[in-house]
Amino acid sequence: MREISYRDALKEALKEEMERDERVFLLGEDIADPFGSAYKVTLGLSPIFGTDRVIQTPISEQGFTGAAVGAAITGLRPVVEYMYIDFTTMAMDQIANQAAKFHYMSGGQAQVPMVMRTQGGPGRSSAAQHAQSLEAWFHHLPGLLVAMPATPHDAKGLLKTAIRLDDPVMFVEQKLLYNTTGPVPEEEYTIPFGLADVKREGTDCTVVATSMAVLKALKAADLLAAEGISIEVVDPRTLFPLDMETIVESVKKTSRLVVSHEAPERGGFAAEVVAQVSDRAFDYLDAPIQRVCAPSVPPPFARNMEDYVMIDEHKIADRVRKLVQGEI
Amino acid sequence: MNDRKIPEDLTKDQLLAMYRRMRLIRGFEDTAQRLFENGEIGGFLHLSQGQEAVPVGTCTALRPDDYITSTHRGHGDVLAKGCEPKYMFAELYGRTTGYCKGKGGSMHIADFSQGIIGANGIVSGGLPIITGVGLSIKMRGTDQVAVCFFGDGATAEGGFHEALNLASLWQIPVIFVCQNNLYGLSQPFSETAYDCDLAQRARTYHIPGECVDGMDAIAVYRSVKEAVDRARSGGGPTFIEAKTYRFLGHYVGDPALYMPPEERKAWREKDAIAKLGTQLRAWDYLTEEEDEAMAASVQAELEQGVEYARSSPIPAPEEALDDVYVHFDYAGNPR
Ligand SMILES: Cc1ncc(C[n+]2csc(CCOP(=O)(O)OP(=O)(O)O)c2C)c(N)n1
Ligand SMILES: [Mg+2]
């Protein structure tokens, strides 16, 4: 199969959906050519679809999110881009009180088919206002769906689905994933929301990981395999809806669970997985469930401090090793 | 241009200090650019070559106890208010001696001891904050003033409008200084608003608004000085749009394909530093030799600053866990 980048996979999804459905349009800052958006996902789309469908907005996150909500409830299918997930804060009322609530508040009358694409995560010394991982906020909001693809394949399939769904979707990309490559079929495909993917099968411990943490978990799996420890890496792909079946089945098989993400540990998505597993698979567990996440501090600037707080394959492998060897 | 007329409202020393600060800023930015391109420093680097006249003209009208807020493109603003290159370089290197102990980096440099409330990574982030600074000045009954630096791009954010309304409502000693460098990232300002007359927009909030040549430090000074005098004597807020230009791309690494070469060339010819240098020589305030000596001293200060940063201690990685709370450690244990 051909290999393409995460960035190009997303671009293809946008392009195909815009070709398929003329109600789909893009809205965001600096998304038109020649700049083509901060991480270049939309580069090349404005020449094809024109600036009437690749609408570059002033720096006005609250404004363009509200515009997307308004367009969505009146029959269009906007895809907005927040340059950084950190800037969703500027639009929080429109996201949390409007987009997420319209369907419910209107007794099911209104639909809000909009996708909010953004990216988060550390790794480039971007510091406290440009490197956060805020997915847990959105995951907490009834009315929103949250996707977090880790691979080019998942990025494309999930984005196409997100655009076709009639619910608002927070679609969280990761800045260091854009240049990663992987197999993506030429032919049309979509990936349903709420379907986890077992990225690697194993027997000794389950690692549930999201976004960049999936790649780190796969590296940890290689490190541990050399020591004779076999881990199963489960990527939920969408935080909500969440495929607990796949996670629970895996835990039943391995009897151990580590949950990992780049976001700070406190109140993170991992806590939800831990709670649900303890609820549904408590009797199958041979050891306490562990979280490998960032400590609950803002992303620091200095490279060595940032490295210190970021998760990596060694942190995941160390924890799994301790679990499997009965040290926890 | 009336180069022969010697200003009466600025002393020779003040003018020379302005000139030196502008060169210091230019040199700081050029140096930072080189260090970034060499891979010595990381993160984001939004440089302000071309815009020096605005912060320097503005801060010349301020007192040490006055306040400023700044933006992602804040090096020039904080240098103009009094930051020292060596601690700024140390911050860019992520060292413990940096203004923010290596936790902030370029976009978050702050020195509260000099009223420098900080650069800010969020476009328009400083605008609502300045209203609180102004309110606090008013409530504490001092005669300080607060300057909010922000870009043209910020004027499309909700926070801009809310801040202008509050400043007007509360009649607080705030001066809004918009550094209109014609672009917000890749977007020409003219394509982000139907009516680009910002001073007019401010007047709709009943805030006196003025547009000034941001490539002329003396003109900026005069405009801000008038606003400062009004603010100090209880006359409320002022809005100043300074028309300027970012000589380079949005950040280091941006090829700036959206900036027409002719436009860039034309603005380079309006370089505010060259302009003031010419004026100073015309007024016999500066000889050729003094000019060169100044350039050398600026260069030396910057080189020493870089050396200071390079030889400063790297923070222990665990310092990442400090400074999250005042009363607790990051995990919630009382101190
Ligand atoms: C809320 C928010 N939205 C978007 C960005 C990304 N961004 C950083 S600087 C910038 C352009 C700002 O333009 P302007 O205010 O004119 O300042 P300039 O860069 O020209 O100094 C953008 C879009 C941001 N940092 N914060
Ligand atoms: Mg600008």
Side-chain angles (χ1 to χ4, degrees):
Chain A
M1 202 185 292
R2 69 178 178 147
E3 301 230 335
I4 64 172
S5 68
Y6 187 89
R7 170 185 299 109
D8 286 342
L10 291 163
K11 197 193 304 272
E12 279 190 5
L14 292 173
K15 179 167 173 281
E16 288 174 17
E17 292 308 300
M18 289 178 79
E19 279 162 353
R20 200 182 68 86
D21 184 346
E22 63 182 21
R23 296 170 302 172
V24 178
F25 70 101
L26 313 184
L27 211 51
E29 293 159 17
D30 302 283
I31 62 174
D33 284 20
F35 194 73
S37 85
Y39 287 89
K40 310 300 168 204
V41 173
T42 61
L43 185 69
L45 296 181
S46 65
I48 302 173
F49 299 103
T51 48
D52 290 342
R53 285 182 75 200
V54 180
I55 303 176
Q56 180 154 294
T57 67
I59 310 169
S60 49
E61 293 80 7
Q62 174 164 206
F64 72 67
T65 307
V69 172
I73 57 181
T74 54
L76 300 182
R77 308 186 79 84
V79 180
V80 308
E81 175 180 302
Y82 305 103
M83 213 177 268
Y84 286 77
I85 199 169
D86 313 67
F87 311 156
T88 57
T89 54
M90 311 294 281
M92 224 35 167
D93 173 63
Q94 288 298 328
I95 298 170
N97 293 328
Q98 314 298 343
K101 302 295 195 295
F102 250 98
H103 185 63
Y104 188 80
M105 292 188 302
S106 66
Q109 298 172 70
Q111 294 186 345
V112 192
M114 66 187 269
V115 179
M116 295 167 273
R117 286 186 45 247
T118 188
Q119 59 79 29
R124 289 180 64 178
S125 271
S126 305
Q129 295 172 337
H130 287 74
Q132 297 175 90
S133 304
L134 300 175
E135 62 274 8
W137 291 0
F138 304 106
H139 166 253
H140 182 69
L141 281 173
L144 284 189
L145 307 180
V146 182
M148 257 189 121
T151 64
H153 176 268
D154 293 352
K156 181 170 178 186
L158 289 170
L159 183 54
K160 286 172 69 85
T161 302
I163 294 171
R164 296 182 196 185
L165 287 169
D166 291 325
D167 288 304
V169 177
M170 184 59 71
F171 195 91
V172 186
E173 301 157 14
Q174 209 282 3
K175 52 176 76 62
L176 296 183
L177 288 178
Y178 288 119
N179 287 332
T180 60
T181 56
V184 175
E186 306 257 8
E187 49 296 346
E188 157 88 18
Y189 71 99
T190 58
I191 297 173
F193 273 37
L195 182 65
D197 185 36
V198 178
K199 289 274 190 292
R200 176 170 172 139
E201 290 192 16
T203 52
D204 298 326
C205 180
T206 298
V207 177
V208 171
T210 58
S211 187
M212 183 55 98
V214 174
L215 273 60
K216 308 283 184 191
L218 290 171
K219 283 192 185 157
D222 287 338
L223 296 175
L224 292 164
E227 305 167 21
I229 298 173
S230 152
I231 66 175
E232 178 147 305
V233 178
V234 181
D235 175 2
R237 300 196 289 194
T238 53
L239 310 195
F240 189 82
L242 177 60
D243 177 4
M244 277 310 298
E245 299 312 318
T246 301
I247 295 171
V248 166
E249 279 316 306
S250 178
V251 171
K252 284 182 179 171
K253 182 169 75 171
T254 65
S255 312
R256 295 181 189 90
L257 176 62
V258 168
V259 191
S260 181
H261 54 55
E262 292 193 299
E265 182 171 279
R266 189 170 72 234
F269 168 71
E272 177 65 22
V273 177
V274 173
Q276 292 208 39
V277 168
S278 77
D279 205 20
R280 296 170 57 167
F282 187 78
D283 291 338
Y284 294 88
L285 288 166
D286 283 348
I289 306 174
Q290 294 292 299
R291 285 177 290 176
V292 179
C293 307
S296 294
V297 305
F301 164 74
R303 207 42 244 240
N304 69 329
M305 287 199 261
E306 188 178 39
D307 284 344
Y308 176 77
V309 303
M310 276 167 67
I311 57 154
D312 62 23
E313 55 272 28
H314 302 291
K315 290 175 186 170
I316 296 173
D318 286 350
R319 201 71 72 87
V320 170
R321 198 179 293 119
K322 286 206 178 87
L323 264 190
V324 172
Q325 293 171 352
E327 288 167 29
I328 296 176
Chain B
M1 186 167 49
N2 190 355
D3 276 347
R4 292 239 51 101
K5 189 168 179 303
I6 299 181
E8 285 163 13
D9 50 349
L10 281 162
T11 64
K12 174 181 167 184
D13 283 352
Q14 277 180 310
L15 286 161
L16 287 172
M18 287 169 76
Y19 183 52
R20 190 177 188 284
R21 267 287 137 172
M22 286 164 68
R23 295 172 101 179
L24 188 70
I25 295 173
R26 177 72 53 89
F28 184 92
E29 299 293 54
D30 288 344
T31 308
Q33 181 179 359
R34 191 163 37 78
L35 296 170
F36 188 93
E37 285 167 353
N38 288 344
E40 267 194 71
I41 58 177
F44 283 99
L45 208 56
H46 304 90
L47 301 178
S48 65
Q49 289 101 326
Q51 303 186 194
E52 297 87 349
V54 185
V56 170
T58 300
C59 292
T60 302
L62 298 184
R63 291 194 320 227
D65 65 336
D66 290 331
Y67 299 96
I68 65 163
T69 60
S70 178
T71 70
H72 56 286
R73 201 176 303 290
H75 298 166
D77 301 348
V78 303
L79 276 166
K81 185 66 172 58
C83 274
E84 285 187 54
K86 63 180 190 175
Y87 304 123
M88 289 176 62
F89 281 126
E91 188 59 32
L92 299 187
Y93 273 84
R95 301 299 161 107
T96 53
T97 51
Y99 277 111
C100 311
K101 300 191 254 177
K103 289 207 175 74
S106 166
M107 280 190 292
H108 305 291
I109 294 176
D111 181 4
F112 279 72
S113 71
Q114 302 195 72
I116 300 166
I117 292 172
N120 203 309
I122 300 297
V123 170
S124 84
L127 279 147
I129 293 172
I130 210 74
T131 62
V133 177
L135 189 63
S136 137
I137 293 171
K138 201 172 167 183
M139 291 170 73
R140 288 184 284 114
T142 71
D143 69 344
Q144 292 161 290
V145 302
V147 167
C148 181
F149 288 115
F150 56 99
D152 47 288
T155 64
E157 291 276 21
F160 168 83
H161 297 274
E162 297 184 29
L164 260 61
N165 187 53
L166 288 176
S168 160
L169 176 70
W170 294 336
Q171 289 295 301
I172 48 183
V174 166
I175 297 134
F176 296 98
V177 178
C178 178
Q179 306 199 33
N180 183 354
N181 58 10
L182 310 193
Y183 291 89
L185 216 171
S186 73
Q187 304 197 62
F189 177 56
S190 58
E191 290 175 19
T192 64
Y194 182 74
D195 180 351
C196 293
D197 183 345
L198 289 171
Q200 173 56 33
R201 211 186 287 182
R203 290 194 286 270
T204 64
Y205 290 100
H206 289 271
I207 295 177
E210 195 178 24
C211 180
V212 64
D213 178 2
M215 303 307 275
D216 181 345
I218 298 172
V220 173
Y221 165 79
R222 287 184 177 139
S223 169
V224 175
K225 183 73 170 63
E226 196 185 315
V228 166
D229 290 346
R230 179 163 49 233
R232 281 207 210 289
S233 56
T238 300
F239 182 98
I240 294 164
E241 175 194 11
K243 284 245 164 64
T244 180
Y245 198 71
R246 190 185 78 198
F247 285 170
L248 301 172
H250 174 65
Y251 40 54
V252 183
D254 172 15
L257 300 175
Y258 48 85
M259 293 166 89
E262 322 77 68
E263 179 189 272
R264 296 177 76 164
K265 187 162 169 287
W267 279 91
R268 282 256 182 203
E269 281 159 15
K270 299 187 206 176
D271 191 338
I273 299 181
K275 178 192 174 89
L276 187 55
T278 309
Q279 287 172 320
L280 289 170
R281 281 186 298 272
W283 300 330
D284 291 332
Y285 279 177
L286 186 73
T287 64
E288 216 51 68
E289 297 79 69
E290 285 164 344
D291 203 7
E292 278 163 26
M294 185 190 282
S297 99
V298 164
Q299 195 51 34
E301 183 175 349
L302 294 169
E303 278 165 22
Q304 283 158 17
V306 172
E307 258 338 289
Y308 175 81
R310 282 184 182 141
S311 58
S312 285
I314 294 173
E318 311 85 70
E319 286 177 37
L321 308 181
D322 296 341
D323 299 320
V324 183
Y325 301 99
V326 175
H327 296 295
F328 302 91
D329 70 12
Y330 83 100
N333 305 304
R335 278 195 198 285

